[in-house]
Amino acid sequence: MKGIIAKEPGGADQLIYTEMPEPELEAGDLLIEVHATAVNRTDILNREGKLGYVNNPIIGVEVAGVVTDANGHHAFKQGDRVMGLVNGGAYAEKAAMPAERAMKIPDSLSFAEAAAIPEVFLTAFQTLYWIGQLKENETILIHAGASGVGTAAIQLAKVMSDAQVIITAGSEEKLDYCRKLGADTVINYKEQDFAEEVLQATNKKGVDLILDFVGASYWKQNYKSIAVDGRWVLIGVLGGNTVNQVNLMDLMAKRIQLTGTLLTPRSDEYKAELSKDFINKTIDHFEQDTIKPVIDITFPITEAANAHKHMEANKNIGKIILTV
Amino acid sequence: MKGIIAKEPGGADQLIYTEMPEPELEAGDLLIEVHATAVNRTDILNREGKLGYVNNPIIGVEVAGVVTDANGHHAFKQGDRVMGLVNGGAYAEKAAMPAERAMKIPDSLSFAEAAAIPEVFLTAFQTLYWIGQLKENETILIHAGASGVGTAAIQLAKVMSDAQVIITAGSEEKLDYCRKLGADTVINYKEQDFAEEVLQATNKKGVDLILDFVGASYWKQNYKSIAVDGRWVLIGVLGGNTVNQVNLMDLMAKRIQLTGTLLTPRSDEYKAELSKDFINKTIDHFEQDTIKPVIDITFPITEAANAHKHMEANKNIGKIILTV
């Protein structure tokens, strides 16, 4: 079978679609014929050789496809349409997926739409609910609102919690899109001081929860934006790693809960539990089309390099899909 | 009636015991004849004029005493022995205490012992359970193990959660005392690298929970000491406020939950809920003497200045009590 690997650690042009060994099934795995996969920032880090989490030369951590070998797992049978996270190996014709975290694809969704769900919706769901403890009618600030996780988080927060959603993004097109997804307040971070806008939108109270993909460059403004007893979940450092001169008394004075999290390196058990909880709570919304996967563009898998370049250009709204 | 105020913001010698107006009861308050109160670091900050939380010139935030006016609250009657947090005004002959957070004193305890409970045990209980989510058999690192909160936390963690308790302190006498209270591993931070000792005591895994009173000067070693998915609760900055460089990727890589908290400025409702939950879960242990308030020394209230100096000298093991 064929799969995408990086010839050498480096730029997008290192990606080649080449003959690779079939996935080796372990006892817990299903064998999947992959119909679609999707690009994640973690894939770029893997391509660059910067992460050691994924022990598979084939890039990619999520697939949508069809079960070709249920491998003795009675919850699935040959021909079932499934989506979910894999431990690497997604950009390929076949992939091994732990049965415990396979989710049946809602009938209303195509494979490309299904491939747009696992990583970003599970990350958003985990961040909002398992870590961020978002409650009904709370206020939330979502940075990078037009990103994959951002578009998922906006919808989950609105539909499941009727939250007051405030987002940041860097173009009018992105702001408009986020508004259509349900965001109540949209802020162009290139033109506005987002902390000022957040305080204005919340009667100076600040938000109960921040989804922070940005890190260092937003640190001070995020601190200004958060309410007393607020939760601040750090899931990316697009704006840098290192914050200088952090005043711990500030964290105590506002009684902030700051949590760093990553989904990919978590245990199989965690991902299985998360996948189950997520699909139970959201499947009706996907079937009724009240929550939708958001696709920016679809490439054939042979153009994986272009798909990576598209993500690196930071212009996508929602997911970048590869079809196999 | 008489009470202790600071003549001017400043050192311990500013404290004077002087005639003050009787406390004004609001609808929710009981009137308490104070028999004992206790010294807290927040009292020192108030004496120095550094905190704006407490809107009462009389110093002090916890009392043990007798109800002299139940003020229509049917859960209490004149003569009841109660302990609890007050909104300032504790170093005095009388104090107003919100009935919602008054706790009946277990029969086995004296007023001095009871006055050693509210602030440190409620802080330890809140930090371990409401914030730190300590679970059965987890490992915990408690800094300043011989402090008031430290001695309370060691006992709660051992008796209620059978946790593996690791403490730091700065003298052999303090280490011995913590061991007697139940600490499994004791570390002299003046002589040992505590992070190395913690890793050794936990098979290199690190601890599930850190109670951090120290802040900046321990930042790097605390990071080394914490396990993946660990919770780190910041309740003091005795070692300084400002961390020069925080690497946010570190927080993400270990998926750390860092929470800053303070008890004194929280709402009346919060303190009431916390007091109820605490006394329900611990009263049997106090009555059976399996958890004990820890008193370092008792001064008459006229010697409040000496009591403050004793705390500032940092030599106490457990609470410093003032009797009225």
Side-chain angles (χ1 to χ4, degrees), chain B residues 207-225:
Chain B
V207 292
D208 301 305
L209 179 59
I210 297 178
L211 250 67
D212 181 7
F213 309 79
V214 178
S217 63
Y218 278 9
W219 182 266
K220 278 188 188 163
Q221 280 171 291
N222 277 330
Y223 181 75
K224 270 176 76 176
S225 303

Side-chain angles (χ1 to χ4, degrees), chain A residues 143-212:
Chain A
H143 289 300
S147 66
V149 178
T151 54
I154 293 169
Q155 296 184 77
L156 292 171
K158 286 309 294 181
V159 173
M160 296 179 61
S161 306
D162 203 10
Q164 182 188 345
V165 175
I166 304 172
I167 67 94
T168 67
S171 75
E172 287 309 309
E173 189 195 356
K174 289 181 175 180
L175 298 180
D176 282 347
Y177 197 87
C178 292
R179 210 181 275 112
K180 275 181 206 136
L181 287 177
D184 301 285
T185 303
V186 302
I187 304 170
N188 188 330
Y189 66 82
K190 292 182 178 163
E191 295 173 1
Q192 294 168 290
D193 176 336
F194 77 77
E196 290 300 324
E197 300 297 320
V198 166
L199 291 174
Q200 199 173 322
T202 57
N203 291 320
K204 310 214 165 166
K205 185 176 162 282
V207 292
D208 301 304
L209 178 59
I210 297 178
L211 249 67
D212 182 6

Side-chain angles (χ1 to χ4, degrees), chain A residues 45 51 53 131 212 214-216 219 229 234-237 240-249 251-263 265-267, chain B residues 45 51 53 131 212 214-216 219 229 234-237 240-249 251-263 265-267:
Chain A
L45 294 174
L51 282 182
Y53 305 134
I131 297 172
D212 182 6
V214 178
W219 181 265
D229 288 318
L234 186 66
I235 54 176
V237 287
N241 284 340
T242 307
V243 188
N244 293 317
Q245 308 290 318
V246 171
N247 185 333
L248 300 177
M249 203 44 166
L251 297 180
M252 290 169 65
K254 278 198 169 179
R255 308 190 299 249
I256 290 168
Q257 181 190 88
L258 174 67
T259 309
T261 184
L262 290 169
L263 182 52
R266 292 202 185 249
S267 69
Chain B
L45 295 173
L51 282 181
Y53 305 135
I131 297 172
D212 181 7
V214 178
W219 182 266
D229 288 318
L234 186 66
I235 54 176
V237 287
N241 284 338
T242 307
V243 185
N244 287 331
Q245 288 204 327
V246 171
N247 185 333
L248 300 177
M249 203 43 166
L251 297 181
M252 290 169 64
K254 278 199 170 178
R255 307 191 298 250
I256 290 167
Q257 182 189 90
L258 173 68
T259 309
T261 185
L262 290 170
L263 182 52
R266 292 199 185 251
S267 69

Side-chain angles (χ1 to χ4, degrees), chain B:
Chain B
M1 70 151 202
K2 294 182 98 173
I4 298 269
I5 62 168
K7 258 184 308 181
E8 290 185 16
D13 290 327
Q14 293 297 329
L15 297 177
I16 52 168
Y17 193 46
T18 185
E19 199 61 35
M20 293 293 291
E22 301 259 324
E24 284 179 28
L25 289 200
E26 297 186 13
D29 293 337
L30 307 172
L31 183 64
I32 309 295
E33 179 184 73
V34 178
H35 287 236
T37 175
V39 180
N40 290 288
R41 291 199 179 269
T42 190
D43 302 346
I44 293 173
L45 295 173
N46 274 309
R47 188 195 76 205
E48 295 172 334
K50 289 186 182 160
L51 282 181
Y53 305 135
V54 178
N55 193 16
N56 191 324
I58 299 175
I59 307 283
V61 295
E62 62 187 328
V63 302
V66 170
V67 176
T68 55
D69 181 353
N71 199 15
H73 291 277
H74 299 298
F76 296 94
K77 62 179 191 304
Q78 216 178 327
D80 279 349
R81 288 164 24 107
V82 294
M83 60 184 179
L85 299 176
V86 295
N87 296 327
Y91 294 11
E93 292 175 313
K94 297 177 188 176
M97 181 192 287
E100 280 283 300
R101 66 169 94 140
M103 299 178 279
K104 288 194 181 162
I105 297 176
D107 291 338
S108 55
L109 300 183
S110 68
F111 288 113
E113 288 170 322
I117 292 177
E119 182 71 17
V120 295
F121 273 93
L122 286 170
T123 297
F125 181 80
Q126 174 210 18
T127 310
L128 293 179
Y129 297 104
W130 280 32
I131 297 172
Q133 304 289 328
L134 181 66
K135 289 178 274 294
E136 200 80 4
N137 298 127
E138 284 193 327
T139 53
I140 178 169
L141 172 61
I142 300 172
H143 290 300
S147 67
V149 178
T151 54
I154 293 169
Q155 296 184 76
L156 292 171
K158 285 309 295 182
V159 173
M160 296 178 60
S161 306
D162 203 10
Q164 182 188 344
V165 174
I166 304 172
I167 67 95
T168 67
S171 74
E172 287 308 308
E173 189 196 355
K174 289 181 175 180
L175 297 180
D176 282 347
Y177 197 88
C178 293
R179 209 182 276 114
K180 275 181 206 136
L181 287 176
D184 300 286
T185 304
V186 302
I187 304 170
N188 188 330
Y189 66 82
K190 291 181 178 165
E191 294 173 2
Q192 294 169 289
D193 176 336
F194 77 77
E196 290 301 323
E197 301 297 319
V198 166
L199 291 175
Q200 199 175 323
T202 57
N203 291 321
K204 311 213 164 165
K205 184 175 163 283
V207 292
D208 301 305
L209 179 59
I210 297 178
L211 250 67
D212 181 7
F213 309 79
V214 178
S217 63
Y218 278 9
W219 182 266
K220 278 188 188 163
Q221 280 171 291
N222 277 330
Y223 181 75
K224 270 176 76 176
S225 303
I226 199 167
V228 171
D229 288 318
R231 290 93 62 203
W232 176 347
V233 186
L234 186 66
I235 54 176
V237 287
L238 296 175
N241 284 338
T242 307
V243 185
N244 287 331
Q245 288 204 327
V246 171
N247 185 333
L248 300 177
M249 203 43 166
D250 287 348
L251 297 181
M252 290 169 64
K254 278 199 170 178
R255 307 191 298 250
I256 290 167
Q257 182 189 90
L258 173 68
T259 309
T261 185
L262 290 170
L263 182 52
T264 306
R266 292 199 185 251
S267 69
D268 285 358
E269 293 70 30
Y270 184 97
K271 289 173 185 169
E273 286 300 311
L274 181 67
S275 299
K276 281 196 188 79
D277 192 35
F278 164 74
I279 202 70
N280 286 341
K281 289 182 178 151
T282 60
I283 190 152
D284 289 350
H285 295 296
F286 283 110
E287 285 182 344
Q288 290 157 19
D289 212 27
T290 47
I291 295 180
K292 307 180 210 349
V294 177
I295 295 177
D296 179 76
I297 188 168
T298 301
F299 292 91
I301 192 166
T302 48
E303 291 184 34
N306 286 333
H308 274 215
K309 287 175 191 168
H310 190 71
M311 175 167 273
E312 289 170 307
N314 209 24
K315 288 191 179 147
N316 57 305
I317 294 179
K319 294 289 286 185
I320 300 164
I321 302 297
L322 299 173
T323 52
V324 183

Side-chain angles (χ1 to χ4, degrees), chain A residues 261-292:
Chain A
T261 184
L262 290 169
L263 182 52
T264 306
R266 292 202 185 249
S267 69
D268 285 359
E269 293 70 29
Y270 184 97
K271 289 173 185 168
E273 287 300 312
L274 181 68
S275 299
K276 282 196 188 78
D277 192 35
F278 164 74
I279 202 71
N280 286 341
K281 289 181 178 151
T282 61
I283 190 153
D284 289 349
H285 295 297
F286 283 111
E287 284 181 346
Q288 291 155 20
D289 211 26
T290 46
I291 295 180
K292 308 180 207 355

